[in-house]
């Protein structure tokens, strides 16, 4: 009897360790706060890599964060879902975010382009009033917003995205795959991306095994970085892809103070 009890305790301990190591990081949401002095006095909330089919953060929780943080803008940097059957679930998240009455601008990610018909997701984003940028820019009150389409999917067109940009104004870029910065030879003030999930399984040599582009192989896969053209931030993302687990990296929503 004592041996059976010890075995049960051992199994429970293993389950607990697996839970806190792999599942808890997907639920234990972290709000990263990034201050970068552009003198815009803006609060921008970035959400990246929703992957709603594997997202463990509820729509109501995201809405509560938006209400608490009171951002001036919300930027969603791609990967809503790759499954058409998950569009009703995505709609729940869009409804929760848009009820907060904050302007939302977004780009598509590589998983969005893996749908059989990307027009379905585009139509849904339009239904809820999200401003989708596909290699184009907008002249907003305090800055130029440039949306570069997904690099990993071969959809990026930097020249088209910058075609109507006023170079005299502050330039903010949203895109999905940060590998685009290795090909971006135009000055910008701040870029927000996602795609790499902070490695999702934050173990040595992960990006030597998994090919996610040159940038992560250089050790650049999360956080703030700078090159000769501007400063960029890579979100660790809020959802998961592949296995619905994370290791040593928590889900993230980012507040940018610019």
């Amino acid at each position: 009897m004592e041996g059976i009890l010890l075995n049960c305790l051992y199994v429970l301990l293993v389950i607990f360790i697996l839970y806190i190591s792999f599942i808890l990081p997907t639920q234990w949401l972290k709000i990263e706060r990034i201050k970068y002095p552009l003198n815009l006095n803006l609060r921008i909330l970035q959400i990246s890599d929703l992957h709603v089919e594997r997202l463990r953060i509820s729509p109501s929780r995201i809405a509560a964060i938006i209400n608490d943080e009171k951002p001036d803008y919300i930027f969603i940097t791609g990967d809503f879902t790759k499954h058409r059957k998950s569009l009703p679930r995505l709609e729940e998240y869009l409804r929760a975010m848009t009820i907060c009455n904050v302007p939302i601008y977004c780009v598509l990610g590589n998983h969005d382009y893996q749908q059989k018909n990307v027009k379905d997701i585009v139509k849904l984003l339009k239904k809820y009033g999200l401003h989708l940028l596909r290699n184009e820019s907008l002249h907003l009150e305090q800055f130029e917003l440039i949306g570069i389409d997904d690099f990993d999917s071969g959809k990026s067109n930097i020249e088209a995205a910058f075609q109507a940009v006023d170079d005299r104004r502050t330039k903010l870029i949203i895109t999905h795959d940060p590998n685009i910065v290795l090909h971006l030879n135009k000055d910008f003030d701040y870029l927000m991306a996602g795609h790499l999930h902070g490695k999702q399984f934050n173990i040595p040599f992960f990006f030597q095994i998994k090919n996610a582009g040159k940038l992560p192989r250089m050790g650049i896969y999360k956080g703030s970085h700078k090159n000769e053209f501007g400063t960029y931030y890579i979100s660790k993302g809020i959802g998961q892809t592949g296995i619905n687990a994370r290791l040593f990296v928590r889900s993230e929503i980012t507040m940018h103070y610019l």
Side-chain angles (χ1 to χ4, degrees):
M1 186 69 179
E2 183 178 342
I4 294 173
L5 181 60
L6 286 173
N7 286 336
C8 289
L9 289 174
Y10 176 75
V11 170
L12 289 173
L13 179 61
V14 170
I15 292 172
F16 177 72
I17 291 172
L18 290 174
Y19 174 80
I20 62 172
S21 299
F22 295 99
I23 306 303
L24 183 60
T26 69
Q27 301 169 318
W28 187 20
L29 181 64
K30 183 176 184 180
I31 301 178
E32 290 281 9
R33 302 185 185 277
I34 310 299
K35 295 182 180 180
Y36 189 71
L38 289 179
N39 299 317
L40 297 175
N41 195 29
L42 287 177
R43 301 160 58 91
I44 297 175
L45 185 146
Q46 179 194 6
I47 301 174
S48 196
D49 299 270
L50 280 154
H51 297 287
V52 297
E53 65 273 14
R54 291 186 173 88
L55 184 55
R56 291 195 173 102
I57 311 298
S58 69
S60 60
R61 189 174 176 193
I62 293 175
I65 290 171
I66 295 170
N67 280 322
D68 288 343
E69 297 295 332
K70 297 178 174 55
D72 299 292
Y73 297 97
I74 297 171
F75 293 167
I76 303 178
T77 47
D79 274 2
F80 294 89
T81 182
K82 70 176 181 180
H83 299 300
R84 193 180 188 284
K85 65 182 181 181
S86 296
L87 291 181
R89 180 166 167 80
L90 173 59
E91 191 163 7
E92 295 176 21
Y93 284 91
L94 297 179
R95 188 180 298 114
M97 288 188 281
T98 54
I99 203 171
C100 299
N101 293 317
V102 178
I104 304 178
Y105 297 88
C106 62
V107 290
L108 298 176
N110 57 306
H111 279 242
D112 303 316
Y113 278 111
Q114 289 173 17
Q115 289 202 39
K116 289 183 179 179
N117 191 350
V118 73
K119 291 181 180 179
D120 291 332
I121 195 167
V122 170
K123 183 179 179 181
L124 186 60
L125 297 176
K126 184 179 292 186
K127 174 182 175 181
Y128 282 90
L130 277 72
H131 306 274
L132 176 63
L133 297 176
R134 304 174 79 178
N135 297 316
E136 55 193 308
S137 66
L138 289 174
H139 183 89
L140 299 183
E141 183 179 354
Q142 293 174 268
F143 58 93
E144 300 285 286
L145 179 60
I146 304 155
I148 303 178
D149 215 339
D150 181 50
F151 176 77
D152 184 67
S153 307
K155 303 295 184 180
S156 298
N157 188 327
I158 295 170
E159 292 299 325
F162 274 80
Q163 187 174 9
V165 169
D166 184 346
D167 280 325
R168 298 168 298 180
R169 305 183 78 227
T170 299
K171 297 182 285 293
L172 304 186
I173 299 175
I174 54 175
T175 193
H176 180 63
D177 183 353
N179 282 290
I180 191 71
V181 301
L182 299 176
H183 305 266
L184 184 56
N185 59 355
K186 296 182 181 293
D187 291 332
F188 61 93
D189 293 284
Y190 200 68
L191 179 149
M192 301 177 200
H195 183 54
L196 300 175
H197 298 204
K199 254 200 308 193
Q200 191 164 322
F201 290 90
N202 198 2
I203 55 178
F205 311 112
F206 182 82
F207 283 127
Q208 306 302 320
I209 301 168
K210 177 180 172 60
N211 181 17
K214 184 177 179 180
L215 201 68
R217 288 199 300 272
M218 296 164 56
I220 300 173
Y221 53 87
K222 64 179 179 179
S224 297
H225 302 272
K226 190 172 185 177
N227 64 17
E228 60 184 304
F229 297 105
T231 296
Y232 57 100
Y233 182 83
I234 307 171
S235 168
K236 295 185 287 293
I238 191 172
Q240 295 70 239
T241 186
I243 300 172
N244 196 5
R246 288 173 175 255
L247 180 64
F248 306 134
V249 56
R250 288 162 57 185
S251 292
E252 170 185 324
I253 282 179
T254 319
M255 280 298 303
H256 300 267
Y257 304 90
L258 305 180

